[in-house]
Amino acid sequence: MNHALTITNLTKVYDNEFEALKGISLVVKQGDFFALLGPNGAGKSTTLGIVSSLVNKTSGTVKVFGYDIETDLVKAKTQLGVVPQEFNFNQFEKVFDIVVTQAGYYGIPAVEAKISAEKYLKKLGLWDKRDEPARLLSGGMKRRLMIARALVHEPNLLILDEPTAGVDIELRRSMWDFMRELNEQQGTTIILTTHYLEEAEALCRNIAIIDQGRILANTSKKELLQKVSAETFVLDLDKPINSAPELEGFECRLNKDGCLEVGVAQEQDINTLFTELNKQSINVMSMRASSSRLEELFIRMVEGEE
Amino acid sequence: MGFNKTLIAFQTIVVKEIRRFMRIWVQTLLPPAITMTLYFVIFGNLIGPRIGEMNGHKYMDFIVPGLIMMSVITNSYANVVSSFFGMKFQRSIEELIVSPVPNWVILTGYVTGGVVRGLLVGLIVTLLSLGFTDLQVHSPLVMVSVALLTAILFSLGGFINAMFATKFDDISIVPSFILTPLTYLGGVFYSISLLPDFWQAVSLANPILYIVNAFRFGILGVTDIDVGVAFLMIIGFTVVLFCLSLHLLNKGKGIRS
Ligand SMILES: Nc1ncnc2c1ncn2[C@@H]1O[C@H](COP(=O)(O)OP(=O)(O)OP(=O)(O)O)[C@@H](O)[C@H]1O
Ligand SMILES: [Mg+2]
């Protein structure tokens, strides 16, 4: 079986001689939900731009469902649906026309194109806006319009470059459900970039981390999370204490809100921590992780490289 | 893409293009109608009788073919240059780039859009001219084929201009500094036989002269130059510009980084 996406030794040098990709290799399996993570300027959009023909590669190969974008470009393109980072539709055109026109570019007859456009505009909550010019939509709606446009020809591989940037929390959750449904029920392979790591943690099965044009990690989410050797917990105490207690085997400190922050290594169990706290008659009211585990790992990896 | 899908993609582009200039008809169809009516009134009605005959025809009748061609030229050029540059500017060109539409279909789609607008405006101006003169068509075949070829040629010109343009100024430079002067000097308002020998020879280097004269031949049956040569020139230029446009598009000039 062909992989949905195979990237081998891909490099990109822009016209201004900036080396945005320094030889990256990636494989995304068919049916996967894949996250490409990395700080601003890491090369995420450049990578996805090359896959979707918006950016010329300098060297290396890219295959979409086995079709090389150099030799089988048309076949590769028919597999793809692309949601770019920046808005790229005609602001004066009507929402419905934008989606139907896109279907036409894939050779879908008008009748079918209209049915499919209606389906996806409804799913993305834009049906009421179908006759509005695109420029009158809110930022979050524009993003959803681009998703509807990318799906109208029902691609096998959906590329989403920061699809939830500027989308409110409630809507983001409903977009997550939508993307999950697409992946699980329609079998669409999804590649997404995001700066919300909890999004990647909630949705994706495999993750690659890219920084300064290089892949730092490329593995399953589960394996990646196991690499997080320690987690920091924040404990709310029933009464304030003046200084951080000495706990045997645990690092801890008081933060500026008067909460206790404790580092717990993977092999340590949390019961021991509570036993230690009990010994010193410190009562814990509630407890939470200081940040998502993926976030801790991400920060450590990206900083460690510099 | 198979034949049917390619045809659908082509239709999609053409329909979108027509919808675009129809949506803004006040900017696209109305101005040439007004300008040309003014030309008919001022040059034809008011000044024309004082000039008398030109190449054996009333001055009004003499300028009508040139003015129709002038509208075809400006409108086919303007349609493609502003639409395609607008797509580049708003990045909606990316909708086409990510999709499997072959480049030659993109090019012919946009050119067809420009041709439809050029010919539609040409038709409007022709109908308006009937209020000032009763045209007898000498050779409908020559008239229609020259109009069509001209619309194709200048749509291609607009396309190339849009490919090179990086800012809005760039799309008005060619029309104001090249197209308009060449049209005025292309024998729309006078027969080049009125010019001294030297300027007659210089005029022969102006492609628009051939277009205007061939079209005038189609309507009035008079021309300053050989109509066969005119056809060869127009077709030659069209082929060259088509190849250049396709080459630029394949390279992704100004579109892909
Ligand atoms: N057209 C271009 N010309 C020159 N350099 C560019 C161009 N586009 C991007 N770059 C540079 O390439 C690098 C990678 O950019 P890219 O857009 O791929 O980053 P990204 O990972 O998507 O970042 P972000 O999270 O901010 O979207 C950046 O340093 C950027 O400045
Ligand atoms: Mg980006």
Side-chain angles (χ1 to χ4, degrees):
Chain A
M1 196 171 62
N2 280 321
H3 292 308
L5 180 67
T6 316
I7 296 179
T8 320
N9 296 327
L10 186 66
T11 67
K12 173 65 190 175
V13 181
Y14 279 107
D15 288 343
N16 61 1
E17 299 190 357
F18 184 81
E19 201 181 355
L21 297 179
K22 297 168 183 156
I24 64 164
S25 299
L26 273 184
V27 169
V28 178
K29 292 196 200 78
Q30 197 166 345
D32 202 356
F33 204 136
F34 190 94
L36 186 59
L37 307 178
N40 288 135
K44 303 180 295 295
S45 299
T46 303
T47 307
L48 300 183
I50 292 173
V51 174
S52 45
S53 309
L54 296 171
V55 176
N56 292 321
K57 64 182 177 160
T58 304
S59 71
T61 55
V62 175
K63 286 183 186 172
V64 180
F65 286 95
Y67 300 117
D68 193 316
I69 61 164
E70 218 163 302
T71 52
D72 265 327
L73 184 58
V74 168
K75 283 189 182 131
K77 279 176 168 178
T78 20
Q79 307 292 324
L80 275 183
V82 183
V83 179
Q85 186 171 3
E86 319 261 351
F87 300 135
N88 70 341
F89 39 76
N90 184 334
Q91 303 275 342
F92 301 98
E93 249 181 282
K94 287 181 188 160
V95 168
F96 189 61
D97 291 344
I98 288 175
V99 181
V100 174
T101 300
Q102 189 68 27
Y105 293 159
Y106 287 84
I108 298 172
V111 180
E112 288 170 43
K114 285 179 182 163
I115 295 171
S116 181
E118 176 174 346
K119 172 176 161 190
Y120 286 104
L121 285 174
K122 279 183 174 161
K123 279 197 177 192
L124 285 149
L126 288 172
W127 187 240
D128 293 344
K129 301 278 180 185
R130 62 187 177 279
D131 289 325
E132 303 257 7
R135 82 195 130 94
L136 299 185
L137 300 184
S138 77
M141 291 175 188
K142 286 178 179 163
R143 221 157 264 295
R144 281 179 284 149
L145 167 59
M146 294 205 296
I147 298 179
R149 186 185 62 183
L151 287 171
V152 71
H153 64 289
E154 313 213 311
N156 291 323
L157 172 59
L158 180 65
I159 289 180
L160 301 155
D161 200 349
E162 299 193 26
T164 55
V167 172
D168 71 44
I169 296 173
E170 198 188 327
L171 207 63
R172 186 174 312 155
R173 298 277 160 176
S174 82
M175 279 170 70
W176 287 6
D177 292 338
F178 174 75
M179 290 189 266
R180 252 191 222 115
E181 186 195 308
L182 199 66
N183 177 250
E184 282 163 15
Q185 285 167 25
Q186 249 165 270
T188 311
T189 310
I190 300 181
I191 301 177
L192 138 144
T193 76
T194 177
H195 290 291
Y196 304 110
L197 295 174
E198 92 241 37
E199 182 164 290
E201 200 168 334
L203 292 172
C204 299
R205 282 189 286 280
N206 288 295
I207 291 175
I209 296 180
I210 179 172
D211 189 26
Q212 298 178 28
R214 286 204 179 84
I215 301 278
L216 302 185
N218 177 11
T219 159
S220 69
K221 176 179 69 189
K222 220 167 119 200
E223 230 169 89
L224 203 59
L225 290 179
Q226 278 166 1
K227 282 196 196 166
V228 187
S229 49
E231 230 177 322
T232 308
F233 289 97
V234 182
L235 311 180
D236 289 311
L237 308 179
D238 67 339
K239 46 186 183 288
I241 51 175
N242 293 329
S243 58
E246 295 278 331
L247 300 176
E248 200 176 318
F250 294 94
E251 293 256 356
C252 67
R253 63 183 190 91
L254 271 181
N255 72 11
K256 57 183 183 307
D257 301 325
C259 299
L260 199 57
E261 289 189 359
V262 188
V264 180
Q266 203 167 33
E267 62 282 359
Q268 286 181 305
D269 82 59
I270 294 184
N271 282 337
T272 332
L273 170 64
F274 285 103
T275 318
E276 284 297 314
L277 288 167
N278 267 337
K279 277 189 201 158
Q280 310 204 14
S281 339
I282 298 172
N283 287 327
V284 177
M285 303 300 288
S286 68
M287 135 180 202
R288 65 196 140 85
S290 79
S291 59
S292 91
R293 288 187 295 165
L294 193 54
E295 200 161 302
E296 286 199 21
L297 179 73
F298 179 81
I299 290 167
R300 238 181 297 143
M301 279 192 157
V302 170
E303 280 178 351
E305 197 213 19
E306 273 163 13
Chain B
M1 292 224 293
F3 177 77
N4 279 339
K5 290 189 171 188
T6 308
L7 190 65
I8 290 171
F10 173 76
Q11 281 171 353
T12 306
I13 299 175
V14 175
V15 168
K16 180 178 73 86
E17 280 303 287
I18 295 176
R19 201 169 53 211
R20 188 196 75 94
F21 75 69
M22 286 298 197
R23 184 172 57 215
I24 49 171
W25 63 275
V26 179
Q27 295 167 49
T28 53
L29 303 181
L30 194 58
I34 294 175
T35 321
M36 291 303 151
T37 307
L38 290 172
Y39 274 120
F40 293 146
V41 171
I42 296 170
F43 289 97
N45 274 3
L46 299 178
I47 303 178
R50 300 208 172 191
I51 296 177
E53 290 202 339
M54 184 84 62
N55 280 10
H57 286 273
K58 276 198 302 188
Y59 189 63
M60 171 67 104
D61 292 0
F62 181 83
I63 62 171
V64 163
L67 290 174
I68 295 172
M69 268 302 99
M70 194 161 139
S71 357
V72 172
I73 289 172
T74 5
N75 282 281
S76 30
Y77 194 94
N79 197 68
V80 182
V81 79
S82 39
S83 172
F84 202 76
F85 180 70
M87 297 249 300
K88 259 172 73 175
F89 188 77
Q90 297 202 40
R91 306 179 65 157
S92 60
I93 181 72
E94 294 180 358
E95 293 176 339
L96 274 164
I97 308 265
V98 301
S99 71
V101 191
N103 284 338
W104 67 269
V105 175
I106 298 181
L107 178 60
T108 45
Y110 274 86
V111 167
T112 306
V115 168
V116 173
R117 165 146 157 223
L119 294 184
L120 183 61
V121 171
L123 183 67
I124 293 173
V125 173
T126 308
L127 293 176
L128 287 171
S129 76
L130 294 179
F132 299 87
T133 169
D134 49 342
L135 285 178
Q136 303 295 318
V137 177
H138 175 76
S139 162
L141 188 66
V142 172
M143 174 181 156
V144 171
S145 53
V146 172
L148 181 65
L149 282 169
T150 305
I152 295 175
L153 177 60
F154 285 89
S155 296
L156 286 166
F159 190 87
I160 292 171
N161 188 166
M163 292 292 288
F164 280 104
T166 55
K167 50 190 188 307
F168 274 100
D169 284 345
D170 297 345
I171 68 171
S172 58
I173 288 176
V174 178
S176 343
F177 295 105
I178 299 177
L179 228 45
T180 309
L182 283 185
T183 313
Y184 277 86
L185 298 172
V188 173
F189 296 103
Y190 55 85
S191 160
I192 59 163
S193 60
L194 299 181
L195 300 175
D197 286 349
F198 174 74
W199 291 110
Q200 277 194 33
V202 170
S203 295
L204 291 177
N206 177 358
I208 293 182
L209 179 81
Y210 295 80
I211 290 169
V212 168
N213 274 283
F215 191 69
R216 184 177 288 135
F217 176 80
I219 295 180
L220 301 179
V222 296
T223 172
D224 287 340
I225 44 107
D226 187 332
V227 175
V229 173
F231 268 100
L232 279 180
M233 290 228 5
I234 303 173
I235 293 171
F237 272 115
T238 305
V239 171
V240 171
L241 292 200
F242 185 86
C243 295
L244 179 59
S245 307
L246 201 56
H247 172 71
L248 291 171
L249 200 53
N250 286 339
K251 266 197 354 191
K253 165 104 190 112
I255 298 176
R256 259 175 291 153
S257 37

